[in-house]
Every structure is written in C-alpha cells, then in structure tokens.
Amino acid sequence: MNIAVFASGNGSNLQALIDAEAKGDLAGGRILLVVCDKPAAFALERAGKAGIKTFVLEAKDFKSREDYDARIVRRLKEENIELVVLAGFMRILSAPFLEEYEGRVLNVHPALLPSFKGVHGIKDAFEYGVKVTGVTVHFVNNELDGGPVILQSCVRIEPDDTRETLEEKIHAEEHRLYPEAVRFFVQGKLKVEGRKVRILN
Ligand code: GAR
C-alpha cells in the first residue's frame, strides 16, 4: 500500500514510520512521499536521508485552502497514494480533500481525545494538572481532532514530571503506537462502525 506522510516540523513520527517500514513492521506499507508545508522542516531531511520523495508547498503561494489541498491531491494521485498519514502536519485539511480520501486519512494526537484537542495537547494537559494523559491515533474527518479513535495509550504524569519530560514520554508512546495503527490499516484490520473502530483479528 502506497503511503504519504504529511509533516510540518521535527518529523520524529515520520522517522518512527520510516524505521518501522525498514523493519518490515508496516505489513508491506511503503512511504512513497512526504508532504510538507514548511521548507525548513527537519522532517524533510529525514525523508531525504531515507530516499523518500518530498513535496513542499507553502500556503502563501495559494489563494485558498481548497487550492492548496487540490494541488496536493493532484500529486497524491500521480503517486497512487492510498493512505495519508498526518504526523505533526499543522494544517487543517479542507472538506474536498477529506472527501477525496474519505476513510484513508490518519492522525496522531498527543493527548487522550476528546480531551485537549488542538495544537497544544501536551502543554494543555500538563497545565490542566491531569494525572493521566496519553496518545490517540484516529481517523480524520471534518471535525477537528474528532474522527473515530483507532488506538489510545495512557501516559501517567508523575509529580516530578516537567513539560519537557512529559513531552519525551508522549513522543515515545506516539512512536510505538502510530506504526502499529498504520500496520492495522494496511492489513485491512480496521472496521469503522459509526464512531467505533473495530480491530479485526
Ligand atoms: C506530535 O507530538 C503530534 O502528536 C503533534 O505534533 C507532534 C509532531 O512531532 N500533532 C498535533 O499536535 C496535532 N494536533 P513530530 O514532528 O516530531 O512527529
């Protein structure tokens, strides 16, 4: 299955997926393309090092979100992309994009959804003072961070944790959970029933 990973920054989740593919842990899923909205993103270096093609588009070069997304869709089609994996891609995808790839867009979020939606999931959970937070992998739909949940994993916040140590724990958990979810998708094991995702054996 041909996969495109979308990233905006460090790309540590992209790296985890690249490493998983190299170990044969994506069940034949192949990362063919990295899409990025930031020319300076470290994710692009990681892609280059792994020999993966990159497609960089800056929002400022497009009139609207729909135009931007339509350009990406064109490229995804050229590459016969079958699964879109958002890995720290800090843009909201438009309705036409999501229609085109309905049920084939995954995202990782650094909190236990539906708590702490948005772009500061780790900081918001830390500042709120919760004792348990975690990681969510979910399907993407038109509601922000609101699609059906595929996998979740808990991370405890201990009294001596700082935001930095919590970030490290969350990222480590993401790097474990995301490749697993992608593998399930590639294996055709994810069955969406309304809001629920059943994982077939
Ligand atoms: C990850 O922690 C991911 O969960 C988060 O951005 C980070 C990207 O890190 N995504 C969101 O907050 C989406 N709302 P990475 O570039 O090192 O993979």
Side-chain angles (χ1 to χ4, degrees), residues 4-54:
V5 177
F6 288 28
S8 297
N10 178 21
S12 69
N13 280 284
L14 165 66
Q15 190 66 55
L17 291 161
I18 290 169
D19 295 345
E21 180 186 336
K23 282 194 281 172
D25 286 350
L26 293 188
R30 294 190 313 148
I31 304 167
L32 288 192
L33 186 69
V34 169
V35 174
C36 184
D37 60 330
K38 299 270 186 290
F42 189 60
L44 292 169
E45 281 188 42
R46 297 183 190 267
K49 211 163 163 197
I52 301 168
K53 284 185 263 188
T54 58

Side-chain angles (χ1 to χ4, degrees), residues 28-197:
R30 294 190 313 148
I31 304 167
L32 288 192
L33 186 69
V34 169
V35 174
C36 184
D37 60 330
K38 299 270 186 290
F42 189 60
L44 292 169
E45 281 188 42
R46 297 183 190 267
K49 211 163 163 197
I52 301 168
K53 284 185 263 188
T54 58
F55 188 48
V56 183
L57 291 101
E58 286 190 88
K60 67 176 174 53
D61 297 331
F62 293 83
K63 279 202 313 284
S64 68
R65 184 175 299 279
E66 284 72 19
D67 285 356
Y68 181 96
D69 286 2
R71 183 67 193 89
I72 298 181
V73 167
R74 221 161 74 219
R75 181 65 194 264
L76 297 184
K77 289 194 165 169
E78 282 164 20
E79 303 284 349
N80 295 315
I81 296 300
E82 299 162 278
L83 172 64
V84 170
V85 175
L86 306 183
F89 188 62
M90 294 305 184
R91 284 180 60 83
I92 292 172
L93 295 170
S94 61
F97 183 103
L98 292 174
E99 259 164 49
E100 191 70 46
Y101 282 90
E102 201 190 340
R104 289 184 291 148
V105 184
L106 309 186
N107 184 42
V108 65
H109 185 77
L112 292 176
L113 291 174
S115 291
F116 308 114
K117 293 180 176 185
V119 294
H120 302 295
I122 301 174
K123 174 176 176 276
D124 292 346
F126 185 75
E127 288 179 356
Y128 192 92
V130 291
K131 308 285 188 196
V132 177
T133 181
V135 171
T136 303
V137 180
H138 63 95
F139 282 103
V140 175
N141 63 12
N142 282 316
E143 192 197 327
L144 181 69
D145 295 328
V149 170
I150 300 168
L151 291 176
Q152 285 186 309
S153 169
C154 297
V155 171
R156 294 193 68 81
I157 303 180
E158 306 293 350
D160 57 352
D161 266 320
T162 61
R163 220 174 93 188
E164 289 70 31
T165 61
L166 179 60
E167 271 171 18
E168 279 170 31
K169 290 202 249 180
I170 293 278
H171 290 314
E173 205 49 34
E174 288 182 326
H175 301 161
R176 190 184 70 74
L177 208 65
Y178 212 6
E180 188 181 5
V182 169
R183 182 173 71 247
F184 286 151
F185 186 96
V186 171
Q187 291 172 324
K189 287 188 174 179
L190 302 180
K191 191 151 186 276
V192 183
E193 296 168 345
R195 279 222 48 90
K196 305 221 171 93
V197 179

